[in-house]
Amino acid sequence: MRSSWTLLVTIGLVACGGGGGGGATVPPGASAANLQLQPVTILAGQTIADLTVSLERRSEPGPALLQGMLSLPPELSLPATERLAPATPMVTLDGNFVGSEFAVLCGDASNQVAEPLPEGDLFRLRLMPTPPRRPGSYTVTFHDVRAATSAGGNVPLAVTTLTATVVIQ
């Protein structure tokens, strides 16, 4: 039997146009949504820091639902609880491990007529150094990112794979 998370990810994949693709180019003249990851520094003595995912430019029609997979190097991990925090009010912000990667779904997966995601910071992922702490610079990847309108149509994205540098001091 499928868990509710598996069902939610399946619904998200269908709403966001299926499981294929990625890296597609936006046709000339089309408006593409632009997502950003902010670099993070985990200071000496600090045990956790937030990786912020932002929508820098919204396309029209705007995305109401966003899904992606987070890949971490072995030197970084997510806490056991409170892995995600909204940066703006939203109906759906959920995440769970799918194998070794962390799937994130944000926006509105509940309402048939969902409001588009706003520009600006959307959510934060809590990152922590994996014991034993290894100072250095590491790359976090948010990939296979898909976005959909409230009607289930694909929203073009400027990029579908984003990276951020995380420095552990």
Side-chain angles (χ1 to χ4, degrees):
M1 178 163 189
R2 287 187 178 183
S3 69
S4 59
W5 172 250
T6 304
L7 183 59
L8 186 58
V9 169
T10 303
I11 291 169
L13 280 168
V14 171
C16 293
T25 342
V26 178
S31 174
N34 187 27
L35 295 167
Q36 297 289 318
L37 297 181
Q38 304 304 318
V40 177
T41 299
I42 304 175
L43 301 171
Q46 193 178 16
T47 58
I48 204 157
D50 292 339
L51 173 69
T52 302
V53 178
S54 302
L55 180 60
E56 297 300 317
R57 181 183 65 240
R58 193 173 83 184
S59 60
E60 291 304 328
L65 191 62
L66 176 71
Q67 178 191 353
M69 301 294 287
L70 181 73
S71 295
L72 298 173
E75 295 82 6
L76 292 166
S77 57
L78 299 174
T81 61
E82 300 180 27
R83 297 173 179 136
L84 291 166
T88 188
M90 63 180 62
V91 176
T92 305
L93 180 59
D94 199 5
N96 206 349
F97 282 98
V98 177
S100 63
E101 298 183 313
F102 190 70
V104 177
L105 185 66
C106 83
D108 187 346
S110 300
N111 298 304
Q112 192 168 7
V113 181
E115 289 293 318
L117 291 165
E119 289 182 346
D121 293 350
L122 296 175
F123 62 91
R124 293 176 180 84
L125 286 146
R126 317 283 329 257
L127 300 177
M128 53 191 268
T130 302
R133 186 181 190 111
R134 288 168 282 214
S137 180
Y138 305 99
T139 301
V140 171
T141 306
F142 191 49
H143 61 92
D144 294 328
V145 180
R146 298 170 184 87
T149 66
S150 64
N154 286 333
V155 173
L157 298 172
V159 293
T160 58
T161 298
L162 303 112
T163 60
T165 301
V166 178
V167 176
I168 299 175
Q169 295 183 340

